[in-house]
Amino acid sequence: DGGITQSPKYLFRKEGQNVTLSCEQNLNHDAMYWYRQDPGQGLRLIYYSQIVNDFQKGDIAEGYSVSREKKESFPLTVTSAQKNPTAFYLCASRWRPGVGEQYFGPGTRLTVT
Amino acid sequence: ELKVEQNPLFLSMQEGKNYTIYCNYSTTSDRLYWYRQDPGKSLESLFVLLSNGAVKQEGRLMASLDTKARLSTLHITAAVHDLSATYFCAVDMNAGGTSYGKLTFGQGTILTVHP
């Protein structure tokens, strides 16, 4: 089955720790995206990548980092510099930048205390 | 900067009634997407609208796009409880036919359908 997987589904961390969220897709999509969603809010773009070994900051990149070493994988690291990291994180992919709809993974709910 | 605004943000409907959700956006685009999100879940694609005048229908939902007015509508016909969810529109900003590669989302409309 083709799709996007995110792991883990729930993640708990202490303040001051970096944490990495996994996102893998087997759709052969070039473009991948990370969004953050806070309760009752819309989606805010953190980072996106249109091709392997390239990525751009989105609207709220501070305190986050990404890498895109393989087409299938786009991990997101939430660093200790991110002031309010508790949120629902969604990964998405798209066949080509600007072509077709985005498909979303199931999400990771991160809680930092 | 592209702005995408939905209204209403909250919509409480009775079963069997009709209503429309509006999505306005601020700059040129001819690609608009509608998504549904159930509580605690991810986003599911509903409609892809790729040209002026595009209309798509699926069951009790119908979406349309007017690129000149920079407006999309999501019309709900004879609402049922199963349609209760949050609905997002998203716009692909482009210029001269070239996309900037990322979607900008509206705030979402929380729809609750009552018996």
Side-chain angles (χ1 to χ4, degrees), chain B:
Chain B
E1 182 194 342
L2 175 61
K3 285 190 165 57
V4 181
E5 293 186 346
Q6 290 181 231
N7 76 83
L9 299 184
F10 300 93
L11 180 52
S12 181
M13 293 177 67
Q14 266 194 306
E15 278 190 331
K17 299 290 187 186
N18 304 334
Y19 210 84
T20 300
I21 298 170
Y22 297 89
C23 174
N24 289 91
Y25 54 95
S26 60
T27 63
T28 302
S29 178
D30 58 5
R31 299 173 197 173
L32 191 137
Y33 308 84
W34 283 96
Y35 290 87
R36 170 184 170 138
Q37 185 179 36
D38 291 304
K41 303 288 188 185
S42 185
L43 274 73
E44 171 194 353
S45 177
L46 288 176
F47 297 111
V48 177
L49 303 168
L50 297 178
S51 60
N52 186 39
V55 177
K56 296 272 182 79
Q57 181 158 9
E58 179 75 34
R60 300 173 189 275
L61 299 177
M62 183 173 71
S64 65
L65 178 61
D66 181 343
T67 59
K68 291 182 178 146
R70 297 179 186 168
L71 171 68
S72 180
T73 60
L74 180 66
H75 187 72
I76 302 151
T77 301
V80 293
H81 179 70
D82 284 353
L83 290 179
S84 296
T86 300
Y87 293 86
F88 291 95
C89 63
V91 177
D92 205 350
M93 187 168 66
N94 56 38
T98 301
S99 168
Y100 290 105
K102 54 181 181 143
L103 297 184
T104 300
F105 283 79
Q107 314 95 306
T109 296
I110 300 174
L111 171 64
T112 307
V113 181
H114 300 284

Side-chain angles (χ1 to χ4, degrees), chain A residues 31-63:
Chain A
M32 295 186 75
Y33 308 81
W34 273 107
Y35 294 90
R36 169 186 172 134
Q37 187 177 34
D38 292 286
Q41 305 290 315
L43 276 69
R44 292 186 288 169
L45 182 64
I46 305 172
Y47 268 98
Y48 63 109
S49 167
Q50 302 193 58
I51 199 162
V52 174
N53 291 323
D54 187 44
F55 49 83
Q56 288 82 38
K57 292 182 180 179
D59 302 317
I60 55 163
E62 187 174 343

Side-chain angles (χ1 to χ4, degrees), chain A residues 64-108:
Chain A
Y64 299 98
S65 66
V66 293
S67 63
R68 185 88 187 276
E69 295 173 4
K70 297 188 298 181
K71 188 174 186 177
E72 304 79 20
S73 178
F74 191 40
L76 173 75
T77 297
V78 184
T79 75
S80 55
Q82 168 47 233
K83 296 200 184 334
N84 296 299
T86 295
F88 187 43
Y89 290 87
L90 285 159
C91 177
S93 72
R94 200 176 189 189
W95 182 52
R96 294 273 192 277
V99 178
E101 71 238 70
Q102 284 186 358
Y103 294 90
F104 283 83
T108 292

